[in-house]
Amino acid sequence: MKATSHRSAITLIALSLLVVVLLPLNLVYGSIDIPFSEVLNALIGEPVSKHTWETIVVETRLPMALTAALAGAALAVAGLLLQTTFDNPLAGPSILGVSTGSSLGVAVVMLAMGGVVSEALTSYFSILLGAIAGAAVVMLILLFFSSIVRSTAMLLIIGIMVGYLTSSAISLLNFFSTQEGVHSFVIWGMGNFTGVTLDRLPLFSILIMVSLGLSFVLVKPLNALLLGARYAENLGVSIKATRNKLLLLSGILTAVVTAFCGPIGFLGLVVPHIARLALRSSNHTVLLPATALAGAVIALLCNLISVLPSSVIPINAITPIIGVPIIIYVIINRKKILYFN
């Protein structure tokens, strides 16, 4: 017990330190080299040698770094909630079609009326509502089938099929949309952390932090679900109500990130396994914060890699490089590492 607590403390401290290190690195490094002293001056309001450096740091790199950290934490926690809810290591926002549902909602907004829509309709608020609505529809479908289908493998297949259907709908919207509309949607769909400006950062941060806070409140029910539905009910946990809450929170987290950053793949699927392997524990009391921190670390690392060349590389071109080997390792060693005491 003491060894487990010691390992958990070391893991949480290490992840926190990585976040502290990666955040300033994301502010310093990029297509334009800016000295750390100048970055620090820009952040504390001191004079900067070049005005353009101050603009880059404060209005571009700072929002991008904070967005990456929050988005990574949100997707990682959403993935953990879904894996615990469905008792399946391959459950995640992208695998179960939640991200695709959010993308469909955004596609309806961005590509409506042939891509020619009013400025009000294409605002981030409208895109956010579209993403949440799309994710909500998919989550309701999954919730409906979860009450009918007992096999988690079959439920996973249903989620994949729902993802295919939403992808088909997106393809049809793209086909009937204008060239400008399709181009805008494709660029959005590549995924990046540059879409959250300094003005939009407060709204994005509040939505993510509130949802993450509510997720932490559900630590005890999450641990009860690990024991199985019957044991959880004997402990006084309402399975249906708990699943509804978990699905709602994971849907909101995924929808908010998708609306602002585009569909980011693999983070929600991979990061919970990284945290579980590091902790050697499935206790959500430590697993949930470790997953959030690990998500922030991986997202900041991907963001740092994406901005090092002269132009910003789409995040979805980087996350599979990290995610695929880990998922293959988890699948091969599933019986050994899936759940720990």
Side-chain angles (χ1 to χ4, degrees), residues 28-53:
V28 173
Y29 291 102
S31 56
I32 299 176
D33 292 329
I34 303 177
F36 179 77
S37 59
E38 298 292 343
V39 171
L40 186 60
N41 288 337
L43 293 176
I44 63 178
E46 293 294 327
V48 181
S49 301
K50 297 181 181 180
H51 178 68
T52 54
W53 286 356

Side-chain angles (χ1 to χ4, degrees), residues 83 266-275 319 322-324 326-327 330:
Q83 288 174 11
F266 279 99
L267 290 182
L269 177 63
V270 170
V271 176
H273 293 299
I274 295 176
T319 52
I322 300 174
V324 170
I326 295 174
I327 289 302
V330 169

Side-chain angles (χ1 to χ4, degrees), residues 223-237:
N223 283 334
L225 288 177
L226 294 178
L227 302 174
R230 182 173 298 180
Y231 285 101
E233 289 177 346
N234 290 335
L235 293 174
V237 176

Side-chain angles (χ1 to χ4, degrees), residues 60 81 191 212 214 296 305:
T60 302
L81 298 183
L212 288 177
L214 293 174
I305 296 172

Side-chain angles (χ1 to χ4, degrees), residues 82-106:
L82 290 174
Q83 288 174 11
T84 303
T85 301
F86 293 107
D87 189 24
N88 195 307
L90 296 180
S94 56
I95 299 298
L96 287 172
V98 181
S99 295
T100 314
S102 295
S103 297
L104 176 59
V106 174

Side-chain angles (χ1 to χ4, degrees), residues 254-276:
T254 303
V256 172
V257 174
T258 303
F260 285 93
C261 308
I264 308 296
F266 279 99
L267 290 182
L269 177 63
V270 170
V271 176
H273 293 299
I274 295 176
R276 192 178 287 114

Side-chain angles (χ1 to χ4, degrees), residues 2-278:
K2 289 183 178 180
T4 302
S5 300
H6 184 64
R7 186 187 186 93
S8 299
I10 292 176
T11 301
L12 291 174
I13 292 173
L15 289 172
S16 299
L17 290 175
L18 284 173
V19 172
V20 172
V21 170
L22 285 170
L23 271 173
L25 287 178
N26 274 263
L27 299 180
V28 173
Y29 291 102
S31 56
I32 299 176
D33 292 329
I34 303 177
F36 179 77
S37 59
E38 298 292 343
V39 171
L40 186 60
N41 288 337
L43 293 176
I44 63 178
E46 293 294 327
V48 181
S49 301
K50 297 181 181 180
H51 178 68
T52 54
W53 286 356
E54 182 179 3
T55 302
I56 291 172
V57 172
V58 176
E59 298 185 12
T60 302
R61 292 186 181 178
L62 179 60
M64 189 188 303
L66 294 176
T67 299
L70 289 171
L75 290 176
V77 170
L80 177 62
L81 298 183
L82 290 174
Q83 288 174 11
T84 303
T85 301
F86 293 107
D87 189 24
N88 195 307
L90 296 180
S94 56
I95 299 298
L96 287 172
V98 181
S99 295
T100 314
S102 295
S103 297
L104 176 59
V106 174
V108 170
V109 173
M110 294 181 68
L111 304 177
M113 299 175 61
V116 182
V117 289
S118 65
E119 183 179 351
L121 190 60
T122 55
S123 67
Y124 266 88
F125 182 71
S126 298
I127 292 176
L128 177 62
L129 290 180
I132 292 176
V137 170
V138 173
M139 299 307 292
L140 287 173
I141 293 173
L142 292 175
L143 186 61
F144 169 75
F145 280 106
S146 68
S147 63
I148 300 175
V149 179
R150 293 186 177 276
S151 172
T152 56
M154 293 303 298
L155 190 60
L156 181 63
I157 293 174
I158 291 173
I160 295 173
M161 294 301 104
V162 171
Y164 281 131
L165 287 175
T166 52
S167 296
S168 177
I170 292 173
S171 298
L172 288 173
L173 285 172
N174 277 310
F175 180 79
F176 289 107
S177 181
T178 62
Q179 184 176 355
E180 293 78 9
V182 172
H183 181 265
S184 298
F185 183 75
V186 169
I187 295 299
W188 172 86
M190 289 182 179
N192 63 80
F193 300 124
T194 62
V196 181
T197 62
L198 200 59
D199 295 334
R200 294 165 181 159
L201 185 60
L203 174 61
F204 179 77
S205 302
I206 290 172
L207 291 172
I208 295 297
M209 294 302 294
V210 170
S211 299
L212 288 177
L214 293 174
S215 301
F216 279 86
V217 174
L218 297 174
V219 165
K220 289 184 178 180
L222 283 167
N223 283 334
L225 288 177
L226 294 178
L227 302 174
R230 182 173 298 180
Y231 285 101
E233 289 177 346
N234 290 335
L235 293 174
V237 176
S238 174
I239 300 299
K240 186 175 181 180
T242 300
R243 283 182 176 175
N244 288 343
K245 293 175 183 177
L246 294 175
L247 289 173
L248 178 62
L249 284 173
S250 59
I252 292 175
L253 288 168
T254 303
V256 172
V257 174
T258 303
F260 285 93
C261 308
I264 308 296
F266 279 99
L267 290 182
L269 177 63
V270 170
V271 176
H273 293 299
I274 295 176
R276 192 178 287 114
L277 287 169

